[in-house]
Amino acid sequence: MTTFDYIIVGAGSAGCVVANRLSANPNISVCLVEAGGNGKSPWVSIPAGIFGLYGNKKYDYSFVTVPQKNLCNRVMDVNRGKALGGSSAINSMVYIRGNRNDYDGWSALGCDGWCYDDVLPVFKKMEANQIGQSAEYHGFDGELQVSKQQDANKVGKVFVAAGKAAGLPENTDFNGVSQLGLGIYNVKQDRGQRVSSYTAFVKPIENRTNLTIMTHTQALDLIISGNKTEGLMVERAGVQQQLSCNKEVILCGGTILSPRILLASGIGNKEELRQLGIDCHHHVPGVGENLQDHIDSMVTVRSSKADSMGVSFKTLLPHVLPAPFKYFLGRKGWWTTNYVEAGGFAKTTLAIDADTDPDIQFHFAPLYRSHRGKKFEWGHGYSVFTCVLRPISRGSVKLANDGSKRNVLIDYNFFAHEQDQQTLVEGVKKAREILASPEFDHLRGEEMAPGEEVQTDAQILDYLRHTATTVYHPVGTCKMGTDSMSVVDPATLKVIGMDNLRVMDASIMPCLTSGNTSAPTMMIAERGAAMVLAEHHR
């Protein structure tokens, strides 16, 4: 079968949700196209398995950026999931939605219907909260299971307690009244196993006869006639074929691949398409623009104490060797970790002066992260990662001018705006303030990065230029809105100028949310699927 009512491109955080909702009607035929495999490796389901997923080209696209001109011309990794579940199959599983002002900010930019009061019921509908948190903010009957961590390391609790010395209270619900404070993160897990968009939304219904799942299938470009999308060209095992749609094609390829497909199909800036030798079907200049991500820094400390996770003679017998048995017998031990077990949100001096929401987020890892960039270091320690929540710098995703129409040029343009630089410098200082708390005295060790010699703002900024990276939350390249650079209509998520082509993924966010982006992407898909059903299947 090569003709379907709906073709969904990408089986990630968004695509799996859309496939579930549309195929719930047995009279609708749905095809879900995924370039990766089924993602059923135990290293995907075991939380600690993420250590071996980043950079593994079986599960990770392993994109890289162009040299970042404000970061010493460094080329940076852009890890994105390639399997059923997409990036939700390789991420750290942290469940964060963002705050009220994020979504009210979208509405203020012309995205009517996307304010906080509009999206909160959608989050609640999808959630299966296992923690017993407030029903005002949480749902309990959805498919997406949210739980406490099975066996959080005690050093994470030290980090939370240390926040009080820096004016940061303990926060047990970052999706509730306020984001401010530190806490142990809630995660998308079920009894110690990863919950991805695939396991939550597709695995339980993948035997529906009206749902076709095509893995190891790369989407090439769209087949367009006038304002209509007639289908999709794909490649499978080196053979190209055409998939036809009766109703719509829905792009859920994410912030990197959704604009790539549009540009390859002749939807984008007509002058740039002309230079690439691509016929322009629709002049939509915003395609691939407005790229945003949370730029991230690291403070990492060595410790002689074996309280944290790490491989040493002190931990081989009690923790390292028994870890598989503890996991499979009781869902306990180090294999349950998502590595960034604790974290939270704070205001730098820049945000305090402006009386705004938190402007930085912490991810705390109860282990030593190599100051040399190695995947593994012998011994113990702890690390704080700090990111800029609402960056002002904007980048882009462009097609490479190599004739393939498959390769992309990713330019985050990090630190293009001075305020982003200042915010992250202040963020490093705030992280250090927390680690200076007496709560850490029994674990005190040498700060390996940035290092005790790095103290002034200029020195910290130089350290950041040489080391800062992405926290893997790219959004914005097919933004919704009403201005001249908008790509999709907020009311329908249809690509401007097209009758039956929609985008439903993180690329439509006009601005980054404050926190991890997997849950907001699923919310976008839930709303988008409802739009399709309301239009065609009342």
Side-chain angles (χ1 to χ4, degrees):
M1 182 176 179
T2 57
T3 300
F4 307 89
D5 292 325
Y6 298 96
I7 301 170
I8 303 165
V9 183
S13 291
C16 287
V17 176
V18 178
N20 176 299
R21 300 310 189 227
L22 296 187
S23 66
N25 183 336
N27 298 317
I28 297 173
S29 60
V30 177
C31 181
L32 180 61
V33 176
E34 169 57 42
N38 60 29
K40 292 181 180 178
S41 163
W43 297 114
V44 172
S45 62
I46 296 169
I50 60 175
F51 190 79
L53 296 176
Y54 282 170
N56 182 335
K57 293 192 176 182
K58 183 176 179 180
Y59 304 104
D60 182 358
Y61 278 100
S62 299
F63 297 116
V64 294
T65 66
V66 301
Q68 296 296 284
K69 61 179 180 290
N70 300 303
L71 297 178
C72 303
N73 286 317
R74 289 186 292 122
V75 172
M76 304 170 70
D77 293 329
V78 183
N79 302 112
R80 309 310 299 152
K82 186 172 70 171
L84 294 179
S87 293
S88 73
I90 70 169
N91 68 8
S92 296
M93 296 157 277
V94 177
Y95 183 73
I96 298 285
R97 301 172 180 168
N99 65 49
R100 174 178 287 275
N101 287 336
D102 292 332
Y103 299 102
D104 289 351
W106 291 5
S107 180
L109 290 172
C111 300
D112 293 341
W114 290 89
C115 71
Y116 182 77
D117 289 337
D118 294 321
V119 303
L120 178 59
V122 184
F123 280 117
K124 291 169 66 175
K125 173 189 174 186
M126 304 179 77
E127 184 183 7
N129 188 281
Q130 310 291 305
I131 307 161
Q133 292 173 308
S134 168
E136 182 179 357
Y137 295 100
H138 295 278
F140 307 94
D141 301 319
E143 296 95 335
L144 187 66
Q145 287 154 320
V146 177
S147 68
K148 292 182 178 180
Q149 295 177 48
Q150 290 289 108
D151 199 5
N153 185 275
K154 58 186 177 182
V155 179
K157 296 171 186 175
V158 174
F159 175 75
V160 175
K164 294 172 185 175
L168 294 170
E170 181 176 3
N171 191 332
T172 59
D173 187 0
F174 294 115
N175 301 299
V177 175
S178 170
Q179 287 188 309
L180 188 69
L182 305 182
I184 305 298
Y185 280 134
N186 295 332
V187 289
K188 300 189 295 294
Q189 291 181 13
D190 178 25
R191 296 184 294 277
Q193 290 187 294
R194 173 189 294 277
V195 174
S196 70
S197 60
Y198 164 70
T199 60
F201 296 99
V202 169
K203 187 177 180 180
I205 56 93
E206 62 187 347
N207 291 326
R208 287 176 179 170
T209 57
N210 61 326
L211 174 62
T212 299
I213 301 173
M214 299 178 66
T215 56
H216 300 292
T217 304
Q218 183 180 11
L220 300 179
D221 52 18
L222 301 162
I223 301 158
I224 296 173
S225 177
N227 294 340
K228 288 193 174 294
T229 306
E230 296 184 343
L232 176 75
M233 285 300 299
V234 300
E235 184 175 275
R236 200 176 194 185
V239 178
Q240 294 188 14
Q241 71 176 110
Q242 177 178 329
L243 304 179
S244 300
C245 69
N246 295 321
K247 294 189 179 296
E248 297 191 10
V249 172
I250 300 168
L251 297 184
C252 298
T255 297
I256 308 301
L257 291 177
S258 284
R260 183 205 71 75
I261 293 168
L262 290 175
L263 293 169
S265 306
I267 299 175
N269 185 307
K270 60 183 177 183
E271 178 57 28
E272 292 183 2
L273 291 172
R274 184 189 66 78
Q275 293 175 7
L276 293 168
I278 297 173
D279 293 335
C280 180
H281 287 289
H282 289 282
H283 177 58
V284 186
V287 174
E289 303 294 339
N290 193 47
L291 175 63
Q292 302 156 59
D293 202 340
H294 293 134
I295 186 169
D296 196 53
S297 67
M298 178 179 73
V299 177
T300 188
V301 179
R302 281 280 197 191
S303 176
S304 61
K305 298 295 180 66
D307 296 48
S308 66
M309 290 184 290
V311 179
S312 68
F313 292 119
K314 297 176 183 178
T315 59
L316 280 177
L317 288 178
H319 296 293
V320 178
L321 296 178
F325 304 99
K326 288 182 178 181
Y327 181 78
F328 288 113
L329 294 176
R331 293 292 190 263
K332 296 291 184 180
W334 286 2
W335 279 21
T336 68
T337 186
N338 71 330
Y339 297 105
V340 287
E341 294 186 350
F345 299 83
K347 296 182 181 183
T348 67
T349 54
L350 301 174
I352 290 172
D353 293 342
D355 192 27
T356 64
D357 290 319
D359 59 343
I360 54 173
Q361 181 181 6
F362 301 114
H363 292 87
F364 179 80
L367 53 87
Y368 179 72
R369 284 295 296 270
S370 173
H371 64 289
R372 295 175 283 212
K374 293 182 178 181
K375 266 199 168 185
F376 171 78
E377 290 263 1
W378 179 269
H380 296 272
Y382 42 91
S383 311
V384 183
F385 299 86
T386 309
C387 71
V388 178
L389 280 177
R390 290 181 295 281
I392 300 173
S393 304
R394 297 290 186 269
S396 63
V397 173
K398 307 282 188 182
L399 277 185
N401 192 5
D402 60 5
S404 71
K405 298 200 297 185
R406 302 188 190 197
N407 298 319
V408 289
L409 303 174
I410 303 169
D411 184 4
Y412 278 120
N413 199 25
F414 279 140
F415 272 4
H417 199 284
E418 185 178 356
Q419 184 171 319
D420 296 344
Q421 302 171 24
Q422 295 172 346
T423 299
L424 197 52
V425 168
E426 293 299 318
V428 169
K429 289 154 74 173
K430 187 59 113 174
R432 281 174 154 176
E433 182 182 356
I434 297 169
L435 296 181
S437 162
E439 297 285 349
F440 276 100
D441 282 351
H442 67 293
L443 298 170
R444 193 72 59 201
E446 182 180 359
E447 181 187 285
M448 304 300 293
E452 293 300 327
E453 71 282 2
V454 177
Q455 293 297 330
T456 69
D457 287 6
Q459 288 171 332
I460 295 172
L461 180 58
D462 183 66
Y463 164 73
L464 294 174
R465 290 191 189 281
H466 284 87
T467 62
T469 184
T470 164
V471 75
Y472 312 119
H473 298 157
V475 309
T477 51
C478 298
K479 77 167 188 172
M480 61 178 169
T482 55
D483 65 12
S484 61
M485 295 301 287
S486 298
V487 176
V488 300
D489 182 338
T492 62
L493 301 189
K494 289 183 180 179
V495 174
I496 292 168
M498 297 296 294
D499 294 338
N500 66 336
L501 175 62
R502 306 192 204 220
V503 183
M504 300 177 189
D505 56 36
S507 72
I508 74 157
M509 296 185 191
C511 296
L512 258 170
T513 53
S514 299
N516 310 67
T517 50
S518 181
T521 301
M522 295 180 191
M523 177 277 293
I524 288 169
E526 180 78 38
R527 296 208 71 205
M531 293 172 185
V532 173
L533 293 171
E535 179 175 340
H536 295 294
H537 305 282
R538 294 180 181 177

